[in-house]
Amino acid sequence: IAPDIGQPEKPRLRQRDRRLQARAIKRLGFGVIAVFSLLAGLFIAGEAFEEPGGIGAISLVLAWLIPLVGLAGLAWFRPRLATPIMIALSGVVVLANLWFAVDPDAWRVIEDQHGPVRAVTVFVLSAAVGVLGLKRTVIAGWLLVAPGVLPIAASSLGSFAGAVSLSVVSVIPLVTGILYLASARAGSSLGLGVPAGLRRRRVRKST
C-alpha cells in the first residue's frame, strides 16, 4: 500500500516542474527582447541626436517611441484587442518588404530621405509583440518568428544590402519568438499560453 500512497504526487511534481520550466523560458524570452529593445532604442535615439540633432531628432524619436509605448501598453492591458492589430501590422511589414523585393530602388529613395524605415518598424513591432507574449505566448511567438525571417528573405530577393539593417534588428526577435514557442510547447498540456476564456472552456469540457 505504501508505494500507492505516493503515486499521485509524481504527476503533480511533473506538472509543477513543467509549469516552472515553461514560465522560465517565457521570462527568458521576454528578458531578451526587453534588453534588446532598450539597447536598440538608445542606439536609434543616439543616431538621431547625432544627425540631424535638435528638434528634428526629437521628432524622429517621438515618431517611433509613441507608437511603441502605445502598442506595448495595449498588448499588456488589452491583449485581446492588441492581437488582431499586431497581426495586421505584421502583415503590413511583410508586404512592405515584398514591395522592396519587387522595387528596391523606390525604397532606397525613401530610406535615403528618412533613414532605415523598415528596420525601425520591425524594431517597434517586435518590442510590442514581445510584451504581448506575456499574455498570448503562442501568437506572439509566431509573430516574432515571421518578422525575423520573412523581411530578410524578401529583402534578399531584391538586394542583400537592404537586408543588412534588418538582420541586425530581426535576429533577437527571432530568438525570442523561438523561446516563446518553446515555452508554449512546454506548458501546452497545462494550459499555459492559452487565453483565459479558451482555458475555461477546456476545463468545463473536461468536467
Side-chain angles (χ1 to χ4, degrees):
I1 301 175
D4 295 333
I5 296 176
Q7 287 299 321
E9 295 298 326
K10 292 183 179 180
R12 293 178 184 176
L13 290 174
R14 284 197 295 268
Q15 282 190 354
R16 186 182 66 179
D17 291 342
R18 291 187 63 184
R19 184 180 291 107
L20 292 175
Q21 180 185 26
R23 289 177 178 173
I25 296 173
K26 180 164 66 174
R27 289 173 181 174
L28 175 62
F30 178 73
V32 169
I33 195 69
V35 172
F36 162 76
S37 300
L38 176 61
L39 295 178
L42 291 175
F43 175 79
I44 296 172
E47 289 291 309
F49 279 99
E50 183 176 346
E51 185 181 354
I55 300 299
I58 297 175
S59 300
L60 288 175
V61 171
L62 291 178
W64 59 261
L65 183 59
I66 292 175
L68 172 56
V69 173
L71 288 173
L74 187 66
W76 179 258
F77 293 106
R78 294 289 186 272
R80 181 178 298 181
L81 176 61
T83 298
I85 294 176
M86 301 293 186
I87 293 174
L89 291 176
S90 297
V92 171
V93 170
V94 172
L95 289 176
N97 283 277
L98 290 175
W99 177 17
F100 175 85
V102 174
D103 190 5
D105 292 334
W107 266 106
R108 288 194 189 98
V109 172
I110 295 174
E111 296 195 340
D112 286 343
Q113 294 178 349
H114 304 287
V117 177
R118 291 173 301 140
V120 173
T121 302
V122 171
F123 152 67
V124 171
L125 182 59
S126 298
V129 174
V131 177
L132 181 65
L134 297 175
K135 305 287 187 176
R136 300 287 190 271
T137 309
V138 176
I139 295 175
W142 285 115
L143 289 179
L144 286 169
V145 168
V149 174
L150 295 180
I152 298 176
S155 297
S156 299
L157 294 175
S159 170
F160 282 101
V164 174
S165 59
L166 280 175
S167 299
V168 174
V169 299
S170 296
V171 61
I172 298 300
L174 176 60
V175 171
T176 300
I178 294 173
L179 288 172
Y180 277 168
L181 293 176
S183 170
R185 182 176 178 82
S188 59
S189 62
L190 304 173
L192 299 180
V194 178
L198 180 58
R199 195 182 310 141
R200 286 193 295 268
R201 287 196 293 271
R202 288 182 178 178
V203 172
R204 292 193 193 103
K205 289 181 180 179
S206 64
T207 56

